[in-house]
């Protein structure tokens, strides 16, 4: 459960600010229940990584669906539980569907990197 004093971090990009939030606990980056995530953009199939980004994040979303951790919400997915990640970039990529630097994607989180 989330403590009332938990500090949340929101995406810098306006489009996502009301759709997703994360918090940090025990060194993990936790995408809060009720946040929206997106499949990777189709063009990422043809990126120089040979489509690894595209396949990795599609597989992640498919696993979450199979395990009932997310549900379809229009053309995106809503998290039904808090989801834990080891990096803010993994969370940011799920939110936007693009490769992202999570330390820059979330407002105020870079201060944690300096600690």
């Amino acid at each position: 459960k989330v403590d009332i004093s938990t500090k949340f971090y929101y995406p810098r990009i306006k489009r996502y600010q009301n759709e997703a939030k994360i918090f940090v606990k025990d060194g993990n980056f936790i995408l809060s229940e009720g946040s929206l995530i997106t499949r990777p953009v189709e063009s990422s199939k043809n990126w120089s990584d040979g489509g690894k980004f595209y396949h990795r994040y599609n597989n992640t979303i498919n696993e979450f669906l199979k395990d009932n951790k997310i549900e379809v919400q229009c053309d995106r997915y809503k998290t039904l539980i808090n989801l834990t990640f080891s990096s803010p970039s993994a969370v940011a990529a799920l939110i936007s569907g693009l490769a992202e630097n999570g330390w820059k994607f979330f407002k105020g989180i870079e201060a944690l990197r300096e600690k």
Side-chain angles (χ1 to χ4, degrees):
K1 286 292 174 194
V2 178
D3 185 293
I4 194 156
S5 65
T6 299
K7 178 164 177 47
F8 288 99
Y9 299 91
Y10 297 86
R12 290 183 189 277
I13 302 166
K14 269 196 171 31
R15 171 180 176 197
Y16 306 118
Q17 285 175 357
N18 295 321
E19 298 181 349
K21 62 185 177 183
I22 66 169
F23 61 97
V24 180
K25 185 174 182 181
D26 300 327
N28 289 306
F29 300 87
I30 303 169
L31 180 61
S32 188
E33 175 185 343
S35 294
L36 295 179
I37 61 175
T38 308
R39 287 209 182 260
V41 294
E42 281 295 311
S43 61
S44 64
K45 273 195 234 180
N46 305 315
W47 287 0
S48 62
D49 69 352
K52 285 181 187 166
F53 173 88
Y54 177 84
H55 295 294
R56 179 174 53 245
Y57 284 95
N58 264 315
N59 289 340
T60 297
I61 287 176
N62 290 340
E63 286 297 312
F64 287 160
L65 278 169
K66 188 179 80 167
D67 296 341
N68 295 313
K69 293 179 178 178
I70 62 174
E71 67 182 7
V72 175
Q73 177 128 2
C74 298
D75 60 340
R76 300 182 64 206
Y77 303 88
K78 182 178 178 181
T79 59
L80 299 174
I81 60 169
N82 293 333
L83 298 172
T84 303
F85 299 87
S86 58
S87 81
S89 298
V91 184
L94 277 171
I95 292 169
S96 71
L98 298 166
E100 301 280 0
N101 178 338
W103 295 105
K104 291 185 171 27
F105 188 84
F106 295 102
K107 203 181 324 178
I109 203 166
E110 61 278 354
L112 298 179
R113 199 175 203 184
E114 298 159 8
K115 289 183 180 177

